[in-house]
Amino acid sequence: MYLVHTQTVGWIRLGIDFLLTVLLLVLGIPGNVLSAIVFYRQGLRERINLCLFSLALADLVVALYYFLLTTEEEIRQLVLPDSWFVLTNFVILIGFLWASQFLSAVIASERCFCVVSPFHAKRLLKTSTMAAIIVVCSFLLIGGFCAVVGGRFTTATSYDTITNTTKTFFYVTQYYLDNRTVIDIFDIFVYATFLPTTFLVIIVVTTIITDMKLRSALAWRRSLTTVEGGRQDAATSKARMVSKEAALTRMLIASSLLFIVCAIPCCAGQVAYFAVPDLSLTGKYYTFYQLTWALIGMFRTINSSFNFLIYCIMSSKFRESLASLMWCWYTPKDMNFNKTLTKTRNKNAVCTLH
């Protein structure tokens, strides 16, 4: 019994793969590269820059993996049906997806802590401490996934005596068959279900708290602007500091909302696989299973690609740094660069690459 016809699913998946390929080439891969460079140039001594830089690198690897995966899917459907190279050799790269989700949760938690208790956040959350947390936890997440899934998939060949042809198909290894119970516990229950759900809950809770505290801080800023007399300058200065932090917090809230929107369908799909046993590769709803995984891949790709747009739209500092970076790359060598650089400095957009 097919909820969706096999040929229909094939065309839908081909359309999704084509759209994702364009998205990754235009925004996902170059966007994450530019984001990483911008946050690196802004200084990794700042805790939030370090977190966003790490997130951009993790999202870059995820984007590269899905680009390779969708490209191979298109090749398999249109040209070479036996193409399984990416699925069998690069599946370990998907481990960076969990690192990306972890970093999103860390960023949301860090911002919540800074808004709720800025003094304690400054005293307890040192950049070196944050770097150690990012490196150790990301290594454990990626390394654990590689250890569990790294040797799981392979290809097998069958010979059709009627047509006198051979066909290569995607299959699991003997390693997986010998350790199926343990691997499924880690792969399905820990990585595919527990970790994404935990990160989603953390981000939802911290985002709600951050938004509430941000509204309170903005109300306090408006109250400062009503101060009169000699206290006006000090009040204005404090209000500007609050406004600057508020702009950064809004940007991070928008990034968290993007994560939430993209993570909910993925978690819902995983719950559906548990609730409906036939929604699997070997079940009677096999075609619908393929379609849902294509949609899950689409949401994961969107989540790893759209942060660059959020940074550009909501952060004037990011836009200035990006414009300075672009200017450094594309300035012709025969121009009077020193004169131009002087004018650029006057506009607070200093180029540091030359």
Side-chain angles (χ1 to χ4, degrees), residues 90-354:
F90 291 98
V91 69
I92 58 175
L93 294 182
I94 200 64
F96 283 86
L97 175 67
W98 317 125
S100 173
Q101 294 178 357
F102 164 74
L103 290 168
S104 296
V106 168
I107 292 170
S109 302
E110 187 270 351
R111 186 47 33 180
C112 181
F113 193 20
C114 289
V115 172
V116 172
S117 182
F119 174 75
H120 289 92
K122 184 176 181 180
R123 183 170 62 88
L124 299 176
L125 292 180
K126 302 296 184 182
T127 303
S128 57
T129 304
M130 185 63 72
I133 292 173
I134 290 173
V135 171
V136 172
C137 293
S138 297
F139 176 79
L140 291 176
L141 288 170
I142 298 171
F145 185 83
C146 292
V148 171
V149 183
R152 178 175 179 176
F153 301 113
T154 186
T155 56
T157 303
S158 63
Y159 178 75
D160 190 339
T161 57
I162 298 177
T163 61
N164 196 30
T165 59
T166 59
K167 179 177 177 58
T168 303
F169 56 92
F170 191 57
Y171 197 63
V172 292
T173 62
Q174 188 63 41
Y175 160 76
Y176 170 74
L177 296 175
D178 293 339
N179 305 277
R180 181 172 182 175
T181 302
V182 176
I183 293 175
D184 284 348
I185 289 174
F186 279 94
D187 185 22
I188 298 175
F189 293 97
V190 176
Y191 276 92
T193 305
F194 175 75
L195 289 178
T197 304
T198 302
F199 295 144
L200 177 61
V201 171
I202 291 173
I203 292 175
V204 168
V205 172
T206 54
T207 300
I208 292 174
I209 296 173
T210 303
D211 182 68
M212 294 172 60
K213 291 295 182 179
L214 178 62
R215 293 175 185 272
S216 176
L218 292 177
W220 175 76
R221 187 195 70 170
R222 286 192 292 270
S223 68
L224 286 178
T225 58
T226 62
V227 179
E228 298 180 355
R231 296 168 56 194
Q232 181 68 40
D233 292 339
T236 302
S237 177
K238 290 181 180 179
R240 288 175 178 173
M241 291 179 63
V242 172
S243 179
K244 182 179 179 181
E245 287 297 314
L248 174 61
T249 303
R250 284 197 194 97
M251 183 189 78
L252 298 178
I253 288 176
S255 180
S256 295
L257 291 176
L258 172 67
F259 178 91
I260 293 169
V261 170
C262 294
I264 288 177
C266 301
C267 293
Q270 194 63 45
V271 172
Y273 301 148
F274 290 133
V276 184
D278 284 327
L279 193 61
S280 64
L281 282 172
T282 57
K284 61 182 179 180
Y285 301 141
Y286 167 73
T287 55
F288 192 69
Y289 175 84
Q290 285 186 312
L291 182 58
T292 55
W293 267 110
L295 293 174
I296 287 174
M298 181 185 70
F299 281 109
R300 287 175 173 175
T301 303
I302 291 173
N303 182 59
S304 66
S305 303
F306 271 48
N307 277 324
F308 175 72
L309 284 182
I310 293 175
Y311 303 151
C312 290
I313 294 172
M314 303 192 68
S315 175
S316 59
K317 183 179 180 182
F318 185 89
R319 291 194 300 270
E320 291 172 0
S321 298
L322 183 62
S324 175
L325 180 65
M326 294 295 100
W327 180 258
C328 291
W329 281 354
Y330 293 110
T331 300
K333 299 299 182 180
D334 57 351
M335 292 180 62
N336 189 347
F337 182 77
N338 292 329
K339 183 178 180 179
T340 305
L341 181 58
T342 302
K343 293 180 180 179
T344 306
R345 283 173 176 165
N346 293 334
K347 295 179 181 179
N348 296 322
V350 181
C351 175
T352 59
L353 291 185
H354 286 262

